[in-house]
Amino acid sequence: MVAVPSLFSLRHLLVLSLALNLSLILRALYHQRGEDNKWWFCFKKKMMEDADSCFTTSSTSSLHNSTREKVIDLDHGDPIMYERFWRQMGDKTTITIPGWQSMSYLSDGSNICWFLEAEFATEVVRLHKVVGNAVTEGRHIVVGTGSSQLILAALYALSSPDAAQPISVVSAVPYYSSYPSMADYQKSGLYQWAGDAENFDKEGPYIELVTSPNNPDGYRRKSMVNRSQGLLIHDLAYYWPQYTPISSPSDHDLTLFTASKTTGHAGMRIGWALVKDKEVAKKMTKFIELNTIGVSKDSQLRAAKVLKAVSESCEEENHKNVESFFKYSYNLMAQRWKQLREVVDAGDMFTIPQFSPAFCTFFGKETEPQPAFVWLKCEGDVEDCETFLRGHKIITRSGTQFGASPKYVRISMLDTDETFIQFIERLSAIQELE
Amino acid sequence: MVAVPSLFSLRHLLVLSLALNLSLILRALYHQRGEDNKWWFCFKKKMMEDADSCFTTSSTSSLHNSTREKVIDLDHGDPIMYERFWRQMGDKTTITIPGWQSMSYLSDGSNICWFLEAEFATEVVRLHKVVGNAVTEGRHIVVGTGSSQLILAALYALSSPDAAQPISVVSAVPYYSSYPSMADYQKSGLYQWAGDAENFDKEGPYIELVTSPNNPDGYRRKSMVNRSQGLLIHDLAYYWPQYTPISSPSDHDLTLFTASKTTGHAGMRIGWALVKDKEVAKKMTKFIELNTIGVSKDSQLRAAKVLKAVSESCEEENHKNVESFFKYSYNLMAQRWKQLREVVDAGDMFTIPQFSPAFCTFFGKETEPQPAFVWLKCEGDVEDCETFLRGHKIITRSGTQFGASPKYVRISMLDTDETFIQFIERLSAIQELE
């Protein structure tokens, strides 16, 4: 039997190692009878601090079936792993909105982005200052219904209605899988998807989407085309300390962020753009006006409260016994990436990206990138990694959707502890079986 | 001096008549000295139940300036007149959202509209049943970031990516001023604005936007083109009892509603579509996925609470001493339309639409349409009504933006009491001066 690597931090190492071994022994013993080991199931529940129901259920076979046959869906990057942190925060980020509040379309008629809540803008500026990941001075803030809407708003703002043909939109392979359909689903005459930035050789103006750290592979990026007529959109959704070392404040013409990846509040649908050029900010605002007549005030107010709590947790960390949001999430990501690397390294079937550590100005020490997705490659004979993993009931997103080879898949690292442990266990079992 | 018409309900008639006369006398007396009458200002404040500060300020001239020179902006249909009702409701519609709630993108993976909150869907169905204004059986609910996003989603869903040319989008003049730019701002190859539905004679498929009651003129509408290849989008934002008699439940293929006009919560950005065809609902959902990856959960939850309170206020009206939301808002609209008609009828300068009363199944009696906008016509020599009124510091939207004559303007009837009273006063003064 292949030795199961240690999956948890030091204090869990011994217990987990024993558990995994026991699990695999029991699996081997009971495999023919269609049974599974209840102990492993309850151990996992225990790890997730949700073990109340353990050792009370009478049917071991039903437990076996539900555990063994469960489909693990890691296709989307739903950032629900942060939920526990926000539960621990208790009432600090609870928001109360009376029925008569925030009824108007308007937030601030004197602002270019007239639907931007002042409170939210204040907390955006504050958080970037605390983290040191973006210059906000001399920028207009445009709020969006998630950063998706802001990407579309930016494409609209950077293109010209009078141009003879649509402006090309490019991004380097592997690019975020939604970029091509976002650029093309409206069959817009303003802009058009033109594929891989590295192979782009058309003359004239173009828009390049620079995602850094990149979704799906987690590497830091700069513009790949680097010609004079390029208009750049910097999608920095993952430029936060839990995912990558913060090297310096980003300082671009048009930069996008989103609460979904910053704090895990995807359901709020709140993103923001930092925009240098006034006319671009105006056009982006116009886009959102025509698209959705503004952005939910309720979510802006809630986002303000959440971002504020994050900033405060950072500010209080040094002089109170508080773990900042970024330290908490950094540690969680570090633990997961460690577990993943150990499982992957234990066999020859898979490889994952290797990153160099770098100094993080936020943590004041060297840290390693630990992206929100793993860009996993099936080695050897497996040509279609997505189909292969689906055969093992792990749902991932094929490399082909990112303009890359089907030997790659993107897998979310932000799911619940339960799902992540199941994923690690299944990956380990695959290496053992194949 | 021209007799000033009675502007308020009977109990205010005498007092208001005296006030208006006094106001005009004082205006004439003090005109040269740049002063105004504090009494009128305070009377208006009194009418707005906000008279605390009256008779305490020392500077009459500053009051004069702020009152006389204020620009009255009734261009947008910001529905803030409902705020007082929701204040009166106290905590009943206060929503509390803990920081850890609603973090996921997902609401219900088994629903076609996977980002639709079940609570919100339940309250939508319930409210339509209580009001009797829409059939919900056999319909898929698609939630949107306001009904604007749903209009775009519907255009996307009803058009074909394989068509040789964009499908024509039409609506009868006067049409909602945003329709042309909403259809064309992306220069989409899927659909294209084709103007007035009544003059549309192109062969082949088309999409007709049927707004009923119509924005801007308030009339009930049916499809104008009425050919076999027409795909209809029914925008029923104003099909609620405060604006128009409810004749029967609407029963169309694709119907849009919005919280903005129903309850006045424009800042929530919540609209919903009732969609008969499953494939259309799927495509609309796909549009919203690509556009904003769903709709704010916070606002959906808040909307659920607000719609629930409206339904309950209707259900409780009969057996408790409660005024339903619709009765409250109906009465307020009735009062405003009465005041407006009296001012308009007192001179020859303006005309406004005339409506026939009809039986309202919700109120169980005959009611008259009292639209959210007044479609006002400048009679006589005034060719450009918008510019004319702007000269009197009343900001309106020109008829030209609705595909109609510049002799018309659209004016919001949903602003605060204060602004509405100022508007009525200014309209009266114009008739007197010209």
Side-chain angles (χ1 to χ4, degrees):
Chain A
M1 179 175 284
V2 175
V4 177
S6 64
L7 301 182
F8 290 87
S9 62
L10 284 174
R11 69 192 176 104
H12 293 124
L13 181 66
L14 182 62
V15 145
L16 180 58
S17 175
L18 286 168
L20 270 174
N21 278 289
L22 187 58
S23 159
L24 294 167
I25 292 163
L26 288 171
R27 182 187 294 269
L29 284 174
Y30 290 106
H31 195 69
Q32 297 299 322
R33 290 195 286 146
E35 289 183 22
D36 203 354
N37 73 91
K38 191 176 177 185
W39 193 91
W40 169 240
F41 176 73
C42 286
F43 173 76
K44 283 192 297 185
K45 289 201 83 159
K46 183 74 188 160
M47 291 304 295
M48 287 169 271
E49 298 173 5
D50 183 24
D52 293 354
S53 62
C54 273
F55 304 109
T56 54
T57 314
S58 60
S59 162
T60 46
S61 63
S62 70
L63 278 171
H64 159 70
N65 287 334
S66 66
T67 307
R68 206 187 57 173
E69 293 173 6
K70 191 182 168 186
V71 172
I72 301 171
D73 190 349
L74 296 168
D75 176 13
H76 292 93
D78 208 3
I80 40 181
M81 77 163 201
Y82 297 112
E83 190 182 305
R84 192 189 297 165
F85 178 86
W86 296 109
R87 280 188 187 272
Q88 285 169 2
M89 292 286 274
D91 288 343
K92 196 163 182 182
T93 49
T94 298
I95 187 153
T96 301
I97 309 174
W100 50 266
Q101 218 182 59
S102 307
M103 294 190 66
S104 169
Y105 289 101
L106 200 77
S107 292
D108 176 5
S110 68
N111 195 311
I112 285 176
C113 185
W114 54 265
F115 46 80
L116 173 67
E117 288 287 302
E119 234 172 295
F120 173 70
T122 303
E123 296 304 332
V124 161
V125 170
R126 179 182 178 185
L127 185 61
H128 283 306
K129 203 170 178 181
V130 167
V131 175
N133 65 340
V135 172
T136 55
E137 289 82 14
R139 259 66 175 189
H140 302 280
I141 296 174
V142 180
V143 65
T145 310
S147 57
S148 294
Q149 189 178 37
L150 291 166
I151 290 169
L152 296 171
L155 294 180
Y156 173 79
L158 298 178
S159 57
S160 164
D162 306 322
Q165 51 182 328
I167 190 169
S168 297
V169 180
V170 297
S171 189
V173 166
Y175 44 69
Y176 173 38
S177 51
S178 291
Y179 286 157
S181 39
M182 285 173 80
D184 283 349
Y185 81 119
Q186 294 266 39
K187 285 182 80 174
S188 174
L190 299 173
Y191 48 81
Q192 194 169 35
W193 179 246
D196 187 7
E198 287 203 81
N199 295 326
F200 181 69
D201 55 8
K202 202 172 151 189
E203 285 305 307
Y206 63 92
I207 297 172
E208 183 178 353
L209 288 153
V210 182
T211 315
S212 181
N214 190 39
N215 171 1
D217 65 9
Y219 289 108
R220 292 284 287 274
R221 280 194 163 179
K222 296 195 174 200
S223 163
M224 298 286 187
V225 188
N226 209 11
R227 285 208 309 260
S228 62
Q229 290 186 72
L231 300 161
L232 305 186
I233 300 170
H234 278 85
D235 183 347
L236 302 196
Y238 302 97
Y239 191 43
W240 296 100
Q242 69 268 48
Y243 304 122
T244 197
I246 302 300
S247 53
S248 63
S250 63
D251 188 10
H252 309 292
D253 287 345
L254 203 169
T255 314
L256 307 180
F257 290 96
T258 166
S260 306
K261 309 304 176 186
T262 313
T263 69
H265 290 83
M268 291 197 305
R269 310 307 314 119
I270 290 290
W272 62 96
L274 305 176
V275 187
K276 213 181 249 178
D277 188 275
K278 192 176 174 177
E279 294 311 311
V280 173
K282 272 186 189 172
K283 277 188 78 180
M284 288 180 73
T285 300
K286 187 70 193 170
F287 176 92
I288 295 172
E289 189 182 316
L290 287 164
N291 195 207
T292 55
I293 322 187
V295 174
S296 162
K297 284 188 175 182
D298 312 314
S299 287
Q300 286 190 65
L301 295 176
R302 190 173 176 218
K305 198 146 194 176
V306 169
L307 297 190
K308 188 180 178 194
V310 171
S311 291
E312 283 176 358
S313 77
C314 299
E315 288 161 352
E316 287 170 2
E317 191 166 42
N318 292 333
H319 56 90
K320 288 186 186 174
N321 190 19
V322 176
E323 189 181 39
S324 77
F325 170 76
F326 292 118
K327 195 165 182 184
Y328 171 91
S329 46
Y330 174 85
N331 287 340
L332 194 52
M333 290 302 287
Q335 192 187 48
R336 289 189 175 192
W337 271 90
K338 187 167 177 284
Q339 294 164 30
L340 178 70
R341 287 202 187 280
E342 283 168 350
V343 170
V344 167
D345 292 348
D348 303 322
M349 292 206 62
F350 308 113
T351 51
I352 56 176
Q354 298 297 322
F355 302 105
S356 306
F359 188 78
C360 174
T361 56
F362 177 78
F363 286 123
K365 64 174 186 182
E366 231 178 36
T367 62
E368 248 183 68
Q370 38 198 36
F373 296 101
V374 54
W375 184 235
L376 184 125
K377 187 181 179 189
C378 280
E379 297 291 345
D381 296 337
V382 179
E383 291 303 318
D384 183 343
C385 196
E386 190 269 332
T387 304
F388 171 76
L389 290 173
R390 190 146 36 86
H392 291 278
K393 293 188 177 160
I394 303 175
I395 310 297
T396 63
R397 194 170 293 183
S398 170
T400 55
Q401 294 199 44
F402 303 86
S405 154
K407 283 188 82 72
Y408 288 89
V409 291
R410 190 195 75 169
I411 300 171
S412 171
M413 291 289 283
L414 304 182
D415 214 294
T416 59
D417 288 349
E418 181 174 9
T419 305
F420 184 72
I421 291 170
Q422 284 167 349
F423 163 61
I424 289 292
E425 186 208 16
R426 199 148 319 165
L427 217 55
S428 173
I430 292 168
Q431 300 227 81
E432 172 202 338
L433 288 168
E434 298 285 332
Chain B
M1 181 174 284
V2 176
V4 176
S6 64
L7 300 183
F8 290 86
S9 60
L10 284 173
R11 68 193 178 104
H12 294 124
L13 182 65
L14 183 62
V15 143
L16 180 59
S17 175
L18 285 168
L20 271 174
N21 278 288
L22 188 57
S23 159
L24 295 166
I25 292 162
L26 288 170
R27 184 187 294 269
L29 283 174
Y30 290 107
H31 196 67
Q32 297 299 321
R33 290 195 286 146
E35 288 184 24
D36 202 354
N37 73 92
K38 193 175 177 184
W39 192 90
W40 169 240
F41 177 72
C42 286
F43 172 77
K44 285 192 297 184
K45 289 201 83 159
K46 183 75 188 158
M47 291 302 295
M48 289 169 269
E49 299 171 9
D50 182 25
D52 293 353
S53 62
C54 272
F55 305 108
T56 55
T57 313
S58 59
S59 162
T60 46
S61 62
S62 70
L63 276 172
H64 158 70
N65 288 333
S66 66
T67 308
R68 206 187 56 172
E69 292 173 7
K70 190 182 167 186
V71 171
I72 300 171
D73 190 348
L74 296 169
D75 176 13
H76 291 93
D78 208 3
I80 39 183
M81 77 163 199
Y82 296 112
E83 190 181 305
R84 193 191 294 164
F85 178 86
W86 295 110
R87 281 189 186 272
Q88 285 168 3
M89 291 286 274
D91 289 341
K92 197 164 181 182
T93 49
T94 298
I95 186 154
T96 301
I97 309 175
W100 50 265
Q101 217 181 61
S102 308
M103 294 189 68
S104 169
Y105 289 100
L106 199 76
S107 292
D108 176 4
S110 67
N111 196 311
I112 286 177
C113 185
W114 54 265
F115 46 80
L116 172 67
E117 287 287 301
E119 234 174 295
F120 173 70
T122 303
E123 295 305 332
V124 161
V125 171
R126 179 182 178 184
L127 184 61
H128 283 306
K129 202 169 179 181
V130 166
V131 175
N133 64 340
V135 172
T136 55
E137 288 81 14
R139 259 67 173 187
H140 303 279
I141 297 175
V142 180
V143 64
T145 310
S147 58
S148 294
Q149 188 177 39
L150 292 166
I151 289 169
L152 296 171
L155 294 180
Y156 173 79
L158 297 178
S159 59
S160 165
D162 306 321
Q165 52 181 327
I167 190 169
S168 297
V169 180
V170 297
S171 190
V173 166
Y175 42 69
Y176 172 39
S177 52
S178 291
Y179 286 157
S181 39
M182 286 173 79
D184 282 350
Y185 80 120
Q186 295 266 37
K187 286 181 79 174
S188 175
L190 299 174
Y191 47 81
Q192 194 171 34
W193 179 247
D196 187 6
E198 287 202 82
N199 295 326
F200 181 70
D201 54 9
K202 202 173 151 188
E203 284 305 308
Y206 63 91
I207 297 171
E208 183 178 353
L209 288 153
V210 182
T211 315
S212 180
N214 191 38
N215 171 1
D217 65 9
Y219 288 107
R220 291 285 287 273
R221 279 193 164 181
K222 298 197 173 201
S223 163
M224 297 287 188
V225 187
N226 210 10
R227 285 209 309 260
S228 61
Q229 291 186 71
L231 301 161
L232 305 186
I233 300 171
H234 279 84
D235 183 349
L236 302 197
Y238 304 96
Y239 191 43
W240 296 99
Q242 69 267 49
Y243 304 122
T244 197
I246 303 299
S247 52
S248 63
S250 63
D251 188 10
H252 310 293
D253 286 345
L254 203 169
T255 313
L256 307 180
F257 290 96
T258 167
S260 306
K261 309 305 176 185
T262 312
T263 69
H265 290 85
M268 291 196 307
R269 311 306 313 118
I270 291 291
W272 63 96
L274 306 176
V275 186
K276 213 182 251 180
D277 187 276
K278 192 176 174 178
E279 295 309 313
V280 173
K282 273 187 187 170
K283 278 188 80 178
M284 288 180 73
T285 301
K286 187 69 191 169
F287 175 94
I288 296 172
E289 190 182 316
L290 288 164
N291 195 207
T292 54
I293 322 186
V295 174
S296 162
K297 283 190 176 182
D298 312 314
S299 287
Q300 286 190 65
L301 294 176
R302 189 172 177 219
K305 198 147 192 173
V306 168
L307 297 191
K308 188 181 177 192
V310 171
S311 291
E312 282 176 358
S313 77
C314 298
E315 288 161 352
E316 287 169 2
E317 191 167 41
N318 292 333
H319 56 92
K320 287 187 187 175
N321 192 17
V322 178
E323 190 180 37
S324 78
F325 169 76
F326 292 118
K327 195 163 182 185
Y328 172 92
S329 45
Y330 174 85
N331 286 339
L332 194 52
M333 291 301 287
Q335 192 188 47
R336 289 189 174 189
W337 272 91
K338 185 167 177 284
Q339 293 164 29
L340 177 71
R341 288 203 185 278
E342 284 169 349
V343 170
V344 167
D345 292 348
D348 303 323
M349 292 206 62
F350 308 114
T351 51
I352 56 176
Q354 298 297 322
F355 302 105
S356 306
F359 188 79
C360 174
T361 56
F362 177 78
F363 287 123
K365 64 175 185 181
E366 232 179 34
T367 62
E368 249 184 67
Q370 37 196 39
F373 297 102
V374 54
W375 185 234
L376 184 124
K377 187 182 179 187
C378 279
E379 297 290 344
D381 296 338
V382 179
E383 290 304 319
D384 184 343
C385 195
E386 190 270 332
T387 305
F388 172 76
L389 289 174
R390 190 146 35 86
H392 291 277
K393 293 188 178 160
I394 303 174
I395 310 297
T396 63
R397 194 169 294 183
S398 170
T400 56
Q401 294 198 44
F402 304 85
S405 155
K407 283 188 81 73
Y408 288 89
V409 291
R410 189 196 75 170
I411 300 171
S412 170
M413 292 288 283
L414 303 183
D415 214 295
T416 59
D417 288 351
E418 181 173 9
T419 305
F420 183 74
I421 291 169
Q422 284 168 350
F423 163 61
I424 289 292
E425 186 210 14
R426 194 131 345 146
L427 218 55
S428 173
I430 293 168
Q431 300 227 79
E432 172 201 339
L433 289 167
E434 298 285 331

